[in-house]
Amino acid sequence: MEMELPSYVKTAIEYLNRNGYECYVVGGAVRSTLLHEEIHDYDLTTNALPEETEAVFRDFPVIRTGMKHGTLTVVIDGEMLEITTYRKDSGYKDHRHPDSVAFSSSLKEDCARRDFTINALCYHPEEGILDFFGGQEDIRKQIIRCIGDPEQRLNEDALRILRAVRFAARLGFTVDPLTKAALLKKKETLRYVSEERIRSETDRFLAGKGCPDLFTEYIDIFAVFLPELNSLSETEKEEIREAFRKAPDNSEIRLAVLLSSRVFPDAEEVMRRLTYPNHAIRRIKSLLSVKDMPFDTETDIRYIINRLIPEFDCYTDYMKAVREDFPAERVREMHDAVIRNGDCCFLSDLAVNGKDMLALGLKGKEISDALQKSLSAVIEKRIPNNKEEIIAYLKKKCKSDAYTG
Ligand code: ATP
Ligand code: MG
């Protein structure tokens, strides 16, 4: 097989080779090429020590990203390229970090420390593909398989448990039976992995096409960091699988789907536990909060727009997944009409503001109450979004409120 390498990658390989060092493209880029997927970044591996790599690229900007792990970033033609020295990792006591990182002079050794056979393929423009662990065959068979003894490899780094399921979901692969048994057996060691890394892998898992089926198959793994899942009934699990299937391959929508389940009464607490950033929490909470709002009239739609933080498409995608018979097309048409008409849906679009309320002699909480009442009247089209009309409405309302208490 021949890989069409971009010129900055070829340049880097040539520089190292000309100086007497080996250099190969490794990992994701080779895997993606064989899968006819788009390549988003190239990783190079070399027997040159980090200082030697630095010397070879002395005429280029070099960022000393992870010298301790043997990684340098070289900038060629404005492109960033990571070059890592062959490594063999040894001794993992904490299920997370190798106790020591030893550089190696053997490409095969460097491949052997990688996680899965499909991630240990190398490529050189003259030598073609180098495949020490049967990665090409596993790609053909669509299998995720640990290199070496699965239990030992997962013991070294528990994150690999989630990486296996994530790659399977993303690529639509299955997990080799021995690797699968080890994933389930070693699942508790995920407790040693930081919440950030769990979140990042989970997000990538949720965005994978294999997510619906794999979630059910590996629910015990997810239950290690989401213990709420243990109280799902079989029917509820099936409902989540169905909802995941109806949702697009999108992590945010699938997370909202998951957190809509009865077993997660407090979505915010779950997301905080997994270190989601505030903006992500706000978006999901907003989706969850519009789930039970009516969607039958344009007024309903204006209220939904008012509450919704993510794009309207997120709302319809989410609702299609969680609500039986959600009339997505009709809702979309009503939404388009609301937008086309420039209907006011937000306080910021209202023709009056706080100053106008002050001028009416209102103060403190009266002001926000009056604005909120005006917005509701405008959203419901009981009055037009016009300053005089709103003020007249408020004055009338004050009077009648005074009578009714
Ligand atoms: P993508 O970036 O598309 O998700 P990738 O294969 O590039 O896929 P990365 O996480 O960027 O994955 O890692 C690059 C390579 O480093 C992998 O292909 C694998 O060979 C190796 N690798 C990464 N993480 C681990 C790990 N936890 N254990 C062993 N090897 C790993
Ligand atoms: Mg990568």
Side-chain angles (χ1 to χ4, degrees), residues 343-359:
D343 287 354
C344 166
C345 303
F346 301 104
L347 270 184
S348 54
D349 296 335
L350 203 61
V352 294
N353 58 29
K355 269 191 197 147
D356 301 315
M357 300 301 106
L358 280 172

Side-chain angles (χ1 to χ4, degrees), residues 189-319:
T189 56
L190 267 178
R191 299 195 192 286
Y192 298 102
V193 176
S194 76
E195 282 80 10
E196 284 87 352
R197 300 180 82 186
I198 291 203
R199 159 168 59 83
S200 145
E201 290 300 327
T202 303
D203 275 343
R204 293 158 97 171
F205 168 80
L206 290 170
K209 59 181 169 196
C211 155
D213 290 341
L214 291 167
F215 182 76
T216 329
E217 189 174 354
Y218 292 98
I219 196 151
D220 293 347
I221 289 178
F222 296 100
V224 171
F225 53 93
L226 294 172
E228 294 90 342
L229 297 174
N230 288 318
S231 37
L232 284 172
S233 69
E234 289 307 312
T235 321
E236 284 170 323
K237 284 182 202 168
E238 194 46 48
E239 279 164 7
I240 292 176
R241 191 218 301 251
E242 261 320 301
F244 275 165
R245 278 193 189 136
K246 289 186 200 154
D249 295 338
N250 173 294
S251 57
E252 184 172 55
I253 291 167
R254 288 221 174 104
L255 184 61
V257 165
L258 181 64
L259 295 179
S260 306
S261 163
R262 165 193 70 86
V263 300
F264 296 109
D266 187 352
E268 173 163 357
E269 185 274 323
V270 178
M271 289 184 77
R272 292 219 178 282
R273 222 194 299 150
L274 291 181
T275 71
Y276 278 92
N278 286 331
H279 66 88
I281 296 177
R282 276 198 298 274
R283 286 171 63 97
I284 297 275
K285 278 179 71 180
S286 150
L287 278 177
L288 297 177
S289 78
V290 296
K291 174 173 169 243
D292 296 315
M293 286 171 70
F295 42 71
D296 303 315
T297 64
E298 287 188 15
T299 292
D300 294 339
I301 302 301
R302 285 188 288 273
Y303 271 121
I304 288 168
I305 293 175
N306 176 268
R307 275 281 200 95
L308 193 64
I309 297 173
E311 307 65 42
F312 201 75
D313 282 342
C314 284
Y315 164 72
T316 53
D317 283 344
Y318 166 67
M319 291 298 275

Side-chain angles (χ1 to χ4, degrees), residues 26-29 31-32 37-38 40-41 43 87 89 92 96 110-111 113-116 118-121 147 153 156-160 163 166-167 170 197 201 204:
V26 67
R31 183 191 70 229
S32 298
E37 282 179 356
E38 205 181 313
H40 48 87
D41 63 338
D43 292 308
R87 268 167 47 179
D89 300 337
Y92 291 77
R96 271 180 299 192
D110 182 66
C111 288
R113 63 131 179 131
R114 295 175 185 275
D115 45 10
F116 310 116
I118 63 164
N119 284 349
L121 292 161
I147 293 172
R153 301 311 311 285
E156 291 169 359
D157 179 0
L159 185 70
R160 291 173 188 155
R163 281 175 63 87
R166 179 259 281 193
F167 276 111
R170 219 191 88 203
R197 300 180 82 186
E201 290 300 327
R204 293 158 97 171

